[in-house]
Amino acid sequence: MRATPAALDCGDGIVLSALVAEPEGPPRATIVALHGAGMRAGYFDGRSHPDISLLALGARLGYTVVAVDRPGYGRSGKRLPNGQSLTDQRTTLHSGLTRLVAGMDTGAGLFLLAHSFGGKLALACAAEPLPAPLLGLDVSGCGHRYAADPVGLGEDHPKEWLRHWGRLRFYPPGTFQDMAGLVTPPPALDLAEAARWPDAFDALAARVRVPVRLTFAEYEQWWRHDPESLADLASRFRAAPRVVVERLPDSGHNISLGLTARSYHLRALAFLEECLLAHAAESAGSPPRIGVAAP
């Protein structure tokens, strides 16, 4: 199943490029996938192995999947050469999603699935009302306390390469040739926002009111993910009805392009299934359950 190029009109002359995969019948829900710094939407449609693409898997299981090039990437790069602040990215994406929801069946609602910097945007979006019910939030490769200085985020040398990718054995043969057109220098405002993230995180996390799942690669090097840090991270989502924190074995930072991508995507979609059940129960008047699950 191939993804189709699409565009989100966000107003003010801003158009975000995207990839869309749709199920054969009406969608059960719509997954909005947000990539990290220095990548593009194709991060979620890896072609180096048949099992890697989130878009293909999600559509096969009955979901519409919309992977969006964040502001400053893809089609909006010329209009926004420096990207946007996190607040402005949230405003732009909200406008695009408003038009998207008005023009297509999104099923039971939206589910945000994001990686790295995309997780920051997902949290910013989840902290405010969206144009359709938000079912839940699944983020990989994004924490709240850095283990490495984010000043080096846009640099190209072996140490930074290892932080982004980890060991070569984590990825299928051909990955780096296939990704040549998707890796791109991050816009200047992405780099500026990365440095401010630890201060911004707490306020955003406290306003998230949907179930949250956070995944860290076993060999994640950008974020602190020791047990104490993960417990502290989960505790910041004070209004979320459920918080799950997991580690994914034998994986590096770019989880959705690795050999464990299918495992991660299936776990994320299983979490979405649980969010759908919780949403249905809440709509029927059952009280939500509150809990935190950590490694």
Side-chain angles (χ1 to χ4, degrees), residues 144-145 195-203:
H144 69 325
R145 301 293 181 261
R196 290 192 285 264
W197 177 244
D199 294 328
F201 170 83
D202 286 350

Side-chain angles (χ1 to χ4, degrees), residues 58-138:
R60 283 200 301 271
L61 295 180
Y63 300 103
T64 294
V65 186
V66 183
V68 181
D69 279 324
R70 290 192 295 105
Y73 293 84
R75 184 167 174 175
S76 69
K78 289 184 179 180
R79 177 75 169 76
L80 302 167
N82 293 319
Q84 288 184 320
S85 69
L86 190 57
T87 299
D88 288 343
Q89 286 189 51
R90 190 261 168 201
T91 300
T92 296
L93 184 60
H94 185 280
S95 297
L97 292 178
T98 298
R99 290 170 171 82
L100 179 76
V101 166
M104 66 182 291
D105 180 4
T106 55
L110 303 177
F111 182 79
L112 300 180
L113 189 151
H115 174 251
S116 198
F117 195 108
K120 300 171 185 178
L121 178 55
L123 283 167
C125 289
E128 303 290 343
L130 286 172
L134 180 59
L135 303 170
L137 177 66
D138 193 290

Side-chain angles (χ1 to χ4, degrees), residues 52-286:
I52 284 181
S53 172
L54 169 70
L55 283 99
L57 178 63
R60 283 200 301 271
L61 295 180
Y63 300 103
T64 294
V65 186
V66 183
V68 181
D69 279 324
R70 290 192 295 105
Y73 293 84
R75 184 167 174 175
S76 69
K78 289 184 179 180
R79 177 75 169 76
L80 302 167
N82 293 319
Q84 288 184 320
S85 69
L86 190 57
T87 299
D88 288 343
Q89 286 189 51
R90 190 261 168 201
T91 300
T92 296
L93 184 60
H94 185 280
S95 297
L97 292 178
T98 298
R99 290 170 171 82
L100 179 76
V101 166
M104 66 182 291
D105 180 4
T106 55
L110 303 177
F111 182 79
L112 300 180
L113 189 151
H115 174 251
S116 198
F117 195 108
K120 300 171 185 178
L121 178 55
L123 283 167
C125 289
E128 303 290 343
L130 286 172
L134 180 59
L135 303 170
L137 177 66
D138 193 290
V139 174
S140 67
C142 182
H144 69 325
R145 301 293 181 261
Y146 286 111
D149 190 343
V151 170
L153 181 61
E155 298 178 3
D156 183 18
H157 56 74
K159 186 176 181 180
E160 299 309 314
W161 191 95
L162 286 171
R163 285 174 177 164
H164 286 297
W165 296 97
R167 302 178 183 180
L168 288 174
R169 68 175 177 84
F170 295 154
Y171 302 92
T175 294
F176 302 103
Q177 293 90 333
D178 295 340
M179 290 301 299
L182 299 177
V183 177
T184 182
L189 287 174
D190 265 17
L191 302 179
E193 288 290 346
R196 290 192 285 264
W197 177 244
D199 294 328
F201 170 83
D202 286 350
L204 293 175
R207 300 204 302 273
V208 174
R209 299 182 179 276
V210 296
V212 177
R213 179 174 175 270
L214 303 159
T215 299
F216 293 87
E218 180 181 2
Y219 294 92
E220 172 66 55
Q221 295 188 41
W222 281 111
W223 302 98
R224 291 172 55 184
H225 54 102
D226 57 275
E228 293 77 16
S229 294
L230 295 186
D232 181 67
L233 171 64
S235 73
R236 306 295 170 139
F237 292 92
R238 294 187 292 274
R242 184 182 179 209
V243 182
V244 179
V245 184
E246 297 186 356
R247 287 193 184 89
L248 188 66
D250 295 319
S251 55
H253 179 70
N254 284 319
I255 286 174
S256 286
L257 293 170
L259 292 167
T260 57
R262 180 176 174 84
S263 174
Y264 165 64
H265 295 152
L266 285 170
R267 296 181 196 197
L269 293 173
F271 182 68
L272 171 51
E273 293 286 342
E274 295 167 0
C275 291
L276 283 169
L277 289 173
H279 177 71
E282 186 175 357
S283 298
S286 300

Side-chain angles (χ1 to χ4, degrees), residues 14-66:
I14 300 174
V15 178
L16 301 182
S17 45
L19 294 171
V20 177
E22 298 181 278
E24 292 184 358
R28 304 183 65 235
T30 296
I31 300 168
V32 178
L34 304 170
H35 65 86
M39 284 286 183
R40 290 193 56 190
Y43 172 82
F44 295 103
D45 193 33
R47 291 292 162 179
S48 300
H49 190 281
D51 291 338
I52 284 181
S53 172
L54 169 70
L55 283 99
L57 178 63
R60 283 200 301 271
L61 295 180
Y63 300 103
T64 294
V65 186
V66 183

